[in-house]
């Protein structure tokens, strides 16, 4: 049997690369070696390289994403398993490049990736499909900030967040009017566009949705109980939150969350892994954002949900590779 070659592509240009390396390791360890030859590829701002034996680095030829080996042979990959969080793997840049050179890859296409990385545009598109979200104000760097008007419109407390950033970087919960300008400065360090959102007072849930064997399924609904003010970077990656799967919600609310999460996924033509964050208020899920390349380290929510659902990590990852192999170039 001819094994297919799979490059697990990890790293990235943002601070999230540390998490991506852990996610990549889990996928690298989990792919079935009876079916695939599995390789590690690291994409960083300064260098793209294949990690060979004894961690020897071989540069990636960006012309066709191949590797020149010591024995004179060239290594090409049948599939790239994209597990980069943040730019360039979660905002469409890498996908557009792979499309241009005819390289097959896992996950969603460049359009869905670029759209979902832009919180404002995602929520605007999904509102047309009846997906509720918080009231918000959008600002570009350099625009006047009318603190009184913002507070009057959105009320306190409120959230200030970068429009395009992952892992809850640059988000501030603002309780006093005097804190607003400083919060915008923090958000503008991550992105030139920011969102100021009204506070939704309810339970935060994280919902994993995937297309598995031809069907859109909700892997699980996880209740987030942060020890911090909200589900920030520390809560996500440094254990400062309790994550309860399944969430402690009744059957009717569970059904409503599943229906809305599936509708959001299908409405924008998603494929591959996704994890969306919602706030439940009076049984209604309000969407905060959708992640198209969520954390996949052993401590991450999506692998926890898959385990609870009864899908092994090997099957979950293998399904992604098979879909990519069958995708037309």
């Amino acid at each position: 049997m001819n094994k297919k070659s799979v490059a697990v592509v990890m790293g990235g240009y943002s601070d999230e690369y540390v998490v991506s390396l852990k996610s990549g390791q889990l996928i690298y360890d989990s792919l079935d070696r009876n079916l695939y030859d599995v390789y590690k590829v690291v994409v960083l701002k300064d260098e793209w390289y294949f990690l060979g034996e004894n961690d020897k680095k071989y540069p990636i030829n960006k012309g066709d994403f191949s590797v020149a080996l010591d024995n004179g042979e060239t290594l090409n990959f049948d599939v790239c398993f994209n597990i980069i969080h943040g730019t360039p793997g979660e905002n469409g840049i890498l996908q557009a490049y792979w499309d241009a050179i005819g390289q097959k890859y896992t996950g969603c296409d460049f359009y869905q990736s670029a759209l979902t990385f832009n919180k404002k545009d995602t929520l605007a598109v999904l509102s047309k499909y009846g997906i509720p979200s918080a009231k918000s104000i959008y600002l570009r760097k350099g625009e006047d900030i009318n603190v009184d008007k913002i507070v009057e419109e959105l009320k306190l407390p409120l959230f200030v967040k970068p429009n395009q950033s992952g892992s809850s970087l640059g988000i501030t919960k603002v309780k006093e009017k005097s804190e607003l300008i400083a919060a915008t400065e923090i958000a503008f360090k991550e992105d030139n566009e920011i969102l100021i959102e009204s506070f939704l007072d309810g339970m935060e849930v994280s919902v994993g949705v995937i297309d598995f064997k031809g069907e859109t399924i909700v892997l699980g609904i996880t209740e987030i109980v942060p020890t911090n003010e909200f589900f920030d970077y520390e809560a996500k990656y440094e254990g400062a939150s309790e994550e309860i799967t399944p969430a402690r919600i009744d059957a009717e609310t569970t059904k409503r969350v599943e229906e809305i999460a599936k509708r959001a996924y299908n409405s924008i033509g998603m494929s591959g892994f996704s994890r969306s964050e919602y706030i439940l208020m009076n049984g209604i899920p309000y969407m905060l954002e959708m992640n198209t390349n969520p954390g996949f380290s052993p401590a991450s929510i999506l692998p926890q949900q898959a385990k609870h659902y009864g899908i092994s990590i090997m099957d979950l990852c293998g399904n992604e590779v098979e879909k990519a192999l069958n995708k037309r170039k």
Side-chain angles (χ1 to χ4, degrees):
M1 188 184 111
N2 233 352
K3 287 189 195 178
K4 297 294 184 183
S5 59
V6 180
V8 181
V9 184
M10 59 191 98
Y13 300 169
S14 74
D15 293 341
E16 297 176 84
Y17 82 92
V18 180
V19 183
S20 174
L21 295 178
K22 290 178 183 172
S23 299
Q25 186 64 50
L26 178 59
I27 290 164
Y28 177 82
D29 292 341
S30 302
L31 282 165
D32 190 344
R33 296 307 196 271
N34 293 318
L35 300 175
Y36 314 115
D37 289 323
V38 188
Y39 305 94
K40 284 186 192 178
V41 171
V42 180
V43 168
L44 301 173
K45 204 174 268 183
D46 304 327
E47 55 177 347
W48 294 17
Y49 58 87
F50 157 64
L51 211 50
E53 283 183 24
N54 303 318
D55 286 346
K56 184 177 176 181
K57 293 180 183 180
Y58 295 83
I60 295 284
N61 176 350
K62 292 182 185 177
D64 59 1
F65 210 75
S66 66
V67 184
L69 300 173
D70 291 337
N71 60 6
E73 290 181 11
T74 299
L75 175 61
N76 292 287
F77 306 107
D78 293 304
V79 172
C80 287
F81 200 118
N82 175 19
I83 196 64
I84 290 177
H85 314 315
T87 185
E90 203 173 3
N91 59 354
I93 292 172
L94 209 48
Q95 290 93 331
Y97 154 73
W98 279 331
D99 283 342
I101 63 167
Q103 171 67 59
K104 292 185 175 184
Y105 56 89
T106 61
C108 62
D109 291 340
F110 82 91
Y111 169 74
Q112 286 77 11
S113 190
L115 173 67
T116 52
F117 205 68
N118 186 309
K119 296 181 181 75
K120 171 181 73 77
D121 290 354
T122 305
L123 299 175
V125 168
L126 289 177
S127 70
K128 305 286 187 283
Y129 296 93
I131 312 288
S133 59
K135 196 175 177 185
S136 65
I137 290 170
Y138 166 78
L139 288 173
R140 280 197 171 95
K141 193 177 256 185
E143 287 181 347
D144 288 337
I145 301 170
N146 187 329
V147 173
D148 291 331
K149 190 182 172 197
I150 290 167
V151 171
E152 185 185 338
E153 203 171 315
L154 301 180
K155 308 290 185 282
L156 290 169
L158 51 78
F159 279 100
V160 179
K161 54 178 75 170
N163 186 39
Q164 300 185 75
S165 167
S167 293
S168 299
L169 294 164
I171 300 182
T172 307
K173 184 177 180 181
V174 173
K175 297 177 186 173
E176 304 285 338
K177 195 189 279 191
S178 59
E179 299 166 357
L180 184 60
I181 295 295
T184 63
E185 287 166 359
I186 290 167
F188 277 131
K189 280 180 185 166
E190 297 294 329
D191 188 24
N192 289 331
E193 308 168 12
I194 66 169
L195 278 183
I196 303 175
E197 288 183 342
S198 63
F199 173 60
L200 297 170
D201 192 8
M203 177 194 289
E204 179 161 359
V205 292
S206 194
V207 188
V209 183
I210 61 167
D211 51 333
F212 188 74
K213 297 184 176 172
E215 187 187 350
T216 300
I217 61 169
V218 174
L219 270 184
I221 303 171
T222 298
E223 178 183 344
I224 308 296
V225 187
T227 49
N228 296 353
E229 282 274 356
F230 61 96
F231 197 39
D232 59 5
Y233 185 91
E234 191 186 1
K236 275 186 180 170
Y237 300 120
E238 293 169 15
S241 71
E242 190 183 355
E243 294 155 10
I244 301 162
T245 308
R248 296 170 294 185
I249 52 179
D250 60 47
E252 189 186 341
T253 308
T254 299
K255 193 176 169 190
R256 193 178 293 127
V257 172
E258 287 181 346
E259 190 270 321
I260 278 190
K262 277 189 195 178
R263 196 193 316 159
Y265 187 95
N266 291 331
S267 295
I268 58 172
M270 259 300 291
S271 60
F273 299 160
S274 84
R275 201 193 68 226
S276 297
E277 319 299 334
Y278 295 85
I279 299 285
L280 296 180
M281 273 201 335
N282 305 318
I284 307 291
Y286 291 80
M287 181 181 259
L288 298 176
E289 63 177 348
M290 183 187 287
N291 301 288
T292 57
N293 238 351
F296 207 78
S297 70
S300 298
I301 289 172
L302 206 71
Q304 288 176 30
Q305 291 176 337
K307 187 179 178 185
H308 186 267
Y309 191 92
I311 299 175
S312 71
I313 302 298
M314 183 185 280
D315 286 346
L316 198 62
C317 295
N319 180 64
E320 287 303 304
V321 171
E322 290 306 312
K323 274 189 309 184
L325 284 169
N326 294 320
K327 203 164 40 171
R328 277 185 297 179
K329 276 190 183 180

PDB file of all heavy atoms in Angstrom, residues 4-5 23-24 40 46 85 91 105 119-120 128 174 193 206 219 224 227 231 282 284 291 323:
ATOM      1  N   LYS A   4       0.352   7.814   2.115  1.00  0.00           N
ATOM      2  CA  LYS A   4       0.316   9.232   1.767  1.00  0.00           C
ATOM      3  C   LYS A   4       1.206  10.009   2.740  1.00  0.00           C
ATOM      4  O   LYS A   4       1.291   9.670   3.927  1.00  0.00           O
ATOM      5  CB  LYS A   4      -1.112   9.762   1.839  1.00  0.00           C
ATOM      6  CG  LYS A   4      -2.076   9.112   0.851  1.00  0.00           C
ATOM      7  CD  LYS A   4      -1.710   9.435  -0.583  1.00  0.00           C
ATOM      8  CE  LYS A   4      -2.716   8.881  -1.571  1.00  0.00           C
ATOM      9  NZ  LYS A   4      -2.331   9.143  -2.965  1.00  0.00           N
ATOM     10  N   SER A   5       1.864  11.043   2.221  1.00  0.00           N
ATOM     11  CA  SER A   5       2.735  11.850   3.089  1.00  0.00           C
ATOM     12  C   SER A   5       1.963  13.060   3.612  1.00  0.00           C
ATOM     13  O   SER A   5       1.322  13.788   2.847  1.00  0.00           O
ATOM     14  CB  SER A   5       3.975  12.308   2.324  1.00  0.00           C
ATOM     15  OG  SER A   5       3.596  13.072   1.200  1.00  0.00           O
ATOM     16  N   SER A  23      -0.148  21.806  19.793  1.00  0.00           N
ATOM     17  CA  SER A  23      -1.238  21.219  19.009  1.00  0.00           C
ATOM     18  C   SER A  23      -0.673  20.320  17.914  1.00  0.00           C
ATOM     19  O   SER A  23      -1.157  19.208  17.681  1.00  0.00           O
ATOM     20  CB  SER A  23      -2.092  22.324  18.373  1.00  0.00           C
ATOM     21  OG  SER A  23      -2.681  23.158  19.341  1.00  0.00           O
ATOM     22  N   GLY A  24       0.366  20.827  17.246  1.00  0.00           N
ATOM     23  CA  GLY A  24       1.004  20.071  16.170  1.00  0.00           C
ATOM     24  C   GLY A  24       1.587  18.763  16.658  1.00  0.00           C
ATOM     25  O   GLY A  24       1.499  17.732  15.970  1.00  0.00           O
ATOM     26  N   LYS A  40       6.970  16.808  10.317  1.00  0.00           N
ATOM     27  CA  LYS A  40       6.744  18.092  11.001  1.00  0.00           C
ATOM     28  C   LYS A  40       7.287  19.234  10.157  1.00  0.00           C
ATOM     29  O   LYS A  40       8.453  19.195   9.735  1.00  0.00           O
ATOM     30  CB  LYS A  40       7.471  18.121  12.354  1.00  0.00           C
ATOM     31  CG  LYS A  40       6.808  17.333  13.456  1.00  0.00           C
ATOM     32  CD  LYS A  40       7.571  17.593  14.759  1.00  0.00           C
ATOM     33  CE  LYS A  40       7.136  16.622  15.833  1.00  0.00           C
ATOM     34  NZ  LYS A  40       7.899  16.820  17.080  1.00  0.00           N
ATOM     35  N   ASP A  46      10.418  34.257  10.429  1.00  0.00           N
ATOM     36  CA  ASP A  46      11.775  34.342   9.883  1.00  0.00           C
ATOM     37  C   ASP A  46      12.187  33.137   9.045  1.00  0.00           C
ATOM     38  O   ASP A  46      13.109  33.219   8.235  1.00  0.00           O
ATOM     39  CB  ASP A  46      12.788  34.513  11.024  1.00  0.00           C
ATOM     40  CG  ASP A  46      12.469  35.727  11.878  1.00  0.00           C
ATOM     41  OD1 ASP A  46      11.948  36.713  11.322  1.00  0.00           O
ATOM     42  OD2 ASP A  46      12.699  35.686  13.104  1.00  0.00           O
ATOM     43  N   HIS A  85      -2.335  28.476  14.691  1.00  0.00           N
ATOM     44  CA  HIS A  85      -3.329  29.371  15.295  1.00  0.00           C
ATOM     45  C   HIS A  85      -2.902  30.805  15.003  1.00  0.00           C
ATOM     46  O   HIS A  85      -1.729  31.159  15.158  1.00  0.00           O
ATOM     47  CB  HIS A  85      -3.413  29.164  16.811  1.00  0.00           C
ATOM     48  CG  HIS A  85      -3.477  27.721  17.218  1.00  0.00           C
ATOM     49  ND1 HIS A  85      -4.286  26.804  16.593  1.00  0.00           N
ATOM     50  CD2 HIS A  85      -2.811  27.038  18.190  1.00  0.00           C
ATOM     51  CE1 HIS A  85      -4.125  25.619  17.164  1.00  0.00           C
ATOM     52  NE2 HIS A  85      -3.227  25.731  18.118  1.00  0.00           N
ATOM     53  N   ASN A  91      -6.018  32.930   9.103  1.00  0.00           N
ATOM     54  CA  ASN A  91      -6.632  34.133   8.521  1.00  0.00           C
ATOM     55  C   ASN A  91      -6.639  34.099   6.994  1.00  0.00           C
ATOM     56  O   ASN A  91      -6.849  35.105   6.347  1.00  0.00           O
ATOM     57  CB  ASN A  91      -5.927  35.395   9.023  1.00  0.00           C
ATOM     58  CG  ASN A  91      -4.448  35.416   8.680  1.00  0.00           C
ATOM     59  OD1 ASN A  91      -3.915  34.447   8.159  1.00  0.00           O
ATOM     60  ND2 ASN A  91      -3.784  36.511   8.987  1.00  0.00           N
ATOM     61  N   TYR A 105      -4.715  20.708   1.565  1.00  0.00           N
ATOM     62  CA  TYR A 105      -4.571  21.014   2.990  1.00  0.00           C
ATOM     63  C   TYR A 105      -5.874  20.745   3.728  1.00  0.00           C
ATOM     64  O   TYR A 105      -6.948  20.702   3.129  1.00  0.00           O
ATOM     65  CB  TYR A 105      -4.140  22.479   3.199  1.00  0.00           C
ATOM     66  CG  TYR A 105      -5.073  23.502   2.559  1.00  0.00           C
ATOM     67  CD1 TYR A 105      -6.159  24.016   3.258  1.00  0.00           C
ATOM     68  CD2 TYR A 105      -4.864  23.943   1.251  1.00  0.00           C
ATOM     69  CE1 TYR A 105      -7.015  24.947   2.682  1.00  0.00           C
ATOM     70  CE2 TYR A 105      -5.711  24.873   0.666  1.00  0.00           C
ATOM     71  CZ  TYR A 105      -6.789  25.366   1.385  1.00  0.00           C
ATOM     72  OH  TYR A 105      -7.636  26.285   0.811  1.00  0.00           O
ATOM     73  N   LYS A 119     -13.735  39.420  13.416  1.00  0.00           N
ATOM     74  CA  LYS A 119     -14.920  39.249  14.276  1.00  0.00           C
ATOM     75  C   LYS A 119     -16.107  40.065  13.768  1.00  0.00           C
ATOM     76  O   LYS A 119     -17.237  39.581  13.707  1.00  0.00           O
ATOM     77  CB  LYS A 119     -14.593  39.641  15.713  1.00  0.00           C
ATOM     78  CG  LYS A 119     -13.537  38.770  16.389  1.00  0.00           C
ATOM     79  CD  LYS A 119     -13.295  39.214  17.822  1.00  0.00           C
ATOM     80  CE  LYS A 119     -12.219  38.375  18.510  1.00  0.00           C
ATOM     81  NZ  LYS A 119     -10.862  38.695  18.070  1.00  0.00           N
ATOM     82  N   LYS A 120     -15.849  41.334  13.410  1.00  0.00           N
ATOM     83  CA  LYS A 120     -16.928  42.229  12.965  1.00  0.00           C
ATOM     84  C   LYS A 120     -17.643  41.643  11.745  1.00  0.00           C
ATOM     85  O   LYS A 120     -18.873  41.569  11.711  1.00  0.00           O
ATOM     86  CB  LYS A 120     -16.358  43.608  12.622  1.00  0.00           C
ATOM     87  CG  LYS A 120     -17.366  44.557  11.936  1.00  0.00           C
ATOM     88  CD  LYS A 120     -16.744  45.891  11.593  1.00  0.00           C
ATOM     89  CE  LYS A 120     -15.776  45.851  10.436  1.00  0.00           C
ATOM     90  NZ  LYS A 120     -16.414  45.783   9.093  1.00  0.00           N
ATOM     91  N   LYS A 128     -27.370  37.744   9.399  1.00  0.00           N
ATOM     92  CA  LYS A 128     -28.328  37.517   8.297  1.00  0.00           C
ATOM     93  C   LYS A 128     -28.959  36.123   8.380  1.00  0.00           C
ATOM     94  O   LYS A 128     -29.985  35.861   7.773  1.00  0.00           O
ATOM     95  CB  LYS A 128     -27.620  37.655   6.930  1.00  0.00           C
ATOM     96  CG  LYS A 128     -26.877  38.971   6.709  1.00  0.00           C
ATOM     97  CD  LYS A 128     -27.815  40.141   6.455  1.00  0.00           C
ATOM     98  CE  LYS A 128     -27.090  41.415   6.069  1.00  0.00           C
ATOM     99  NZ  LYS A 128     -26.451  42.116   7.164  1.00  0.00           N
ATOM    100  N   VAL A 174     -13.946  46.549  30.743  1.00  0.00           N
ATOM    101  CA  VAL A 174     -13.933  47.934  31.245  1.00  0.00           C
ATOM    102  C   VAL A 174     -15.133  48.142  32.170  1.00  0.00           C
ATOM    103  O   VAL A 174     -16.279  47.968  31.759  1.00  0.00           O
ATOM    104  CB  VAL A 174     -13.986  48.943  30.068  1.00  0.00           C
ATOM    105  CG1 VAL A 174     -14.141  50.365  30.576  1.00  0.00           C
ATOM    106  CG2 VAL A 174     -12.740  48.809  29.206  1.00  0.00           C
ATOM    107  N   GLU A 193      -7.752  47.528  14.070  1.00  0.00           N
ATOM    108  CA  GLU A 193      -9.207  47.663  14.189  1.00  0.00           C
ATOM    109  C   GLU A 193      -9.631  47.033  15.509  1.00  0.00           C
ATOM    110  O   GLU A 193      -9.118  45.980  15.887  1.00  0.00           O
ATOM    111  CB  GLU A 193      -9.918  46.915  13.047  1.00  0.00           C
ATOM    112  CG  GLU A 193      -9.437  47.263  11.661  1.00  0.00           C
ATOM    113  CD  GLU A 193      -9.974  46.273  10.623  1.00  0.00           C
ATOM    114  OE1 GLU A 193     -10.877  45.486  10.933  1.00  0.00           O
ATOM    115  OE2 GLU A 193      -9.472  46.308   9.487  1.00  0.00           O
ATOM    116  N   SER A 206     -18.302  27.051  25.095  1.00  0.00           N
ATOM    117  CA  SER A 206     -17.453  26.863  23.931  1.00  0.00           C
ATOM    118  C   SER A 206     -17.965  25.629  23.199  1.00  0.00           C
ATOM    119  O   SER A 206     -18.094  24.553  23.789  1.00  0.00           O
ATOM    120  CB  SER A 206     -16.011  26.662  24.395  1.00  0.00           C
ATOM    121  OG  SER A 206     -15.128  26.784  23.328  1.00  0.00           O
ATOM    122  N   LEU A 219     -19.535  18.472  18.522  1.00  0.00           N
ATOM    123  CA  LEU A 219     -18.727  17.564  19.345  1.00  0.00           C
ATOM    124  C   LEU A 219     -19.086  17.686  20.819  1.00  0.00           C
ATOM    125  O   LEU A 219     -19.093  16.708  21.557  1.00  0.00           O
ATOM    126  CB  LEU A 219     -17.240  17.895  19.193  1.00  0.00           C
ATOM    127  CG  LEU A 219     -16.439  17.208  18.105  1.00  0.00           C
ATOM    128  CD1 LEU A 219     -14.990  17.619  18.213  1.00  0.00           C
ATOM    129  CD2 LEU A 219     -16.561  15.688  18.180  1.00  0.00           C
ATOM    130  N   ILE A 224     -17.560  27.306  30.437  1.00  0.00           N
ATOM    131  CA  ILE A 224     -16.310  27.938  30.866  1.00  0.00           C
ATOM    132  C   ILE A 224     -16.569  28.701  32.168  1.00  0.00           C
ATOM    133  O   ILE A 224     -17.404  29.597  32.219  1.00  0.00           O
ATOM    134  CB  ILE A 224     -15.793  28.941  29.804  1.00  0.00           C
ATOM    135  CG1 ILE A 224     -15.710  28.283  28.417  1.00  0.00           C
ATOM    136  CG2 ILE A 224     -14.454  29.538  30.221  1.00  0.00           C
ATOM    137  CD1 ILE A 224     -14.727  27.155  28.299  1.00  0.00           C
ATOM    138  N   THR A 227     -11.575  31.705  36.476  1.00  0.00           N
ATOM    139  CA  THR A 227     -11.283  32.262  37.795  1.00  0.00           C
ATOM    140  C   THR A 227     -10.944  33.750  37.641  1.00  0.00           C
ATOM    141  O   THR A 227     -11.035  34.513  38.576  1.00  0.00           O
ATOM    142  CB  THR A 227     -10.104  31.524  38.469  1.00  0.00           C
ATOM    143  OG1 THR A 227      -9.028  31.443  37.531  1.00  0.00           O
ATOM    144  CG2 THR A 227     -10.484  30.110  38.854  1.00  0.00           C
ATOM    145  N   PHE A 231     -12.786  34.769  30.018  1.00  0.00           N
ATOM    146  CA  PHE A 231     -11.974  33.694  29.423  1.00  0.00           C
ATOM    147  C   PHE A 231     -10.821  34.302  28.627  1.00  0.00           C
ATOM    148  O   PHE A 231     -10.829  34.348  27.407  1.00  0.00           O
ATOM    149  CB  PHE A 231     -12.883  32.840  28.544  1.00  0.00           C
ATOM    150  CG  PHE A 231     -12.314  31.486  28.194  1.00  0.00           C
ATOM    151  CD1 PHE A 231     -11.605  30.733  29.102  1.00  0.00           C
ATOM    152  CD2 PHE A 231     -12.529  30.951  26.924  1.00  0.00           C
ATOM    153  CE1 PHE A 231     -11.097  29.475  28.763  1.00  0.00           C
ATOM    154  CE2 PHE A 231     -12.032  29.701  26.573  1.00  0.00           C
ATOM    155  CZ  PHE A 231     -11.317  28.968  27.498  1.00  0.00           C
ATOM    156  N   ASN A 282     -30.677  34.064  29.220  1.00  0.00           N
ATOM    157  CA  ASN A 282     -32.088  33.654  29.144  1.00  0.00           C
ATOM    158  C   ASN A 282     -32.295  32.539  28.104  1.00  0.00           C
ATOM    159  O   ASN A 282     -33.279  32.538  27.361  1.00  0.00           O
ATOM    160  CB  ASN A 282     -32.988  34.852  28.795  1.00  0.00           C
ATOM    161  CG  ASN A 282     -32.781  36.012  29.772  1.00  0.00           C
ATOM    162  OD1 ASN A 282     -32.664  35.788  30.969  1.00  0.00           O
ATOM    163  ND2 ASN A 282     -32.714  37.221  29.255  1.00  0.00           N
ATOM    164  N   ILE A 284     -30.733  32.003  25.405  1.00  0.00           N
ATOM    165  CA  ILE A 284     -30.378  32.358  24.026  1.00  0.00           C
ATOM    166  C   ILE A 284     -28.857  32.448  23.899  1.00  0.00           C
ATOM    167  O   ILE A 284     -28.211  33.168  24.668  1.00  0.00           O
ATOM    168  CB  ILE A 284     -30.989  33.732  23.616  1.00  0.00           C
ATOM    169  CG1 ILE A 284     -32.498  33.766  23.862  1.00  0.00           C
ATOM    170  CG2 ILE A 284     -30.645  34.065  22.167  1.00  0.00           C
ATOM    171  CD1 ILE A 284     -33.308  32.891  22.957  1.00  0.00           C
ATOM    172  N   ASN A 291     -13.609  30.226  15.952  1.00  0.00           N
ATOM    173  CA  ASN A 291     -12.197  29.897  15.701  1.00  0.00           C
ATOM    174  C   ASN A 291     -12.135  28.732  14.716  1.00  0.00           C
ATOM    175  O   ASN A 291     -12.746  27.687  14.957  1.00  0.00           O
ATOM    176  CB  ASN A 291     -11.502  29.475  17.002  1.00  0.00           C
ATOM    177  CG  ASN A 291     -11.572  30.563  18.053  1.00  0.00           C
ATOM    178  OD1 ASN A 291     -10.915  31.572  17.949  1.00  0.00           O
ATOM    179  ND2 ASN A 291     -12.416  30.355  19.072  1.00  0.00           N
ATOM    180  N   LYS A 323     -10.473  13.824   3.989  1.00  0.00           N
ATOM    181  CA  LYS A 323     -11.267  14.863   3.304  1.00  0.00           C
ATOM    182  C   LYS A 323     -10.365  15.706   2.408  1.00  0.00           C
ATOM    183  O   LYS A 323     -10.727  16.037   1.277  1.00  0.00           O
ATOM    184  CB  LYS A 323     -11.947  15.780   4.338  1.00  0.00           C
ATOM    185  CG  LYS A 323     -13.269  15.267   4.838  1.00  0.00           C
ATOM    186  CD  LYS A 323     -13.977  16.310   5.681  1.00  0.00           C
ATOM    187  CE  LYS A 323     -13.090  16.862   6.748  1.00  0.00           C
ATOM    188  NZ  LYS A 323     -13.678  17.796   7.659  1.00  0.00           N
TER     189      LYS A 323
END
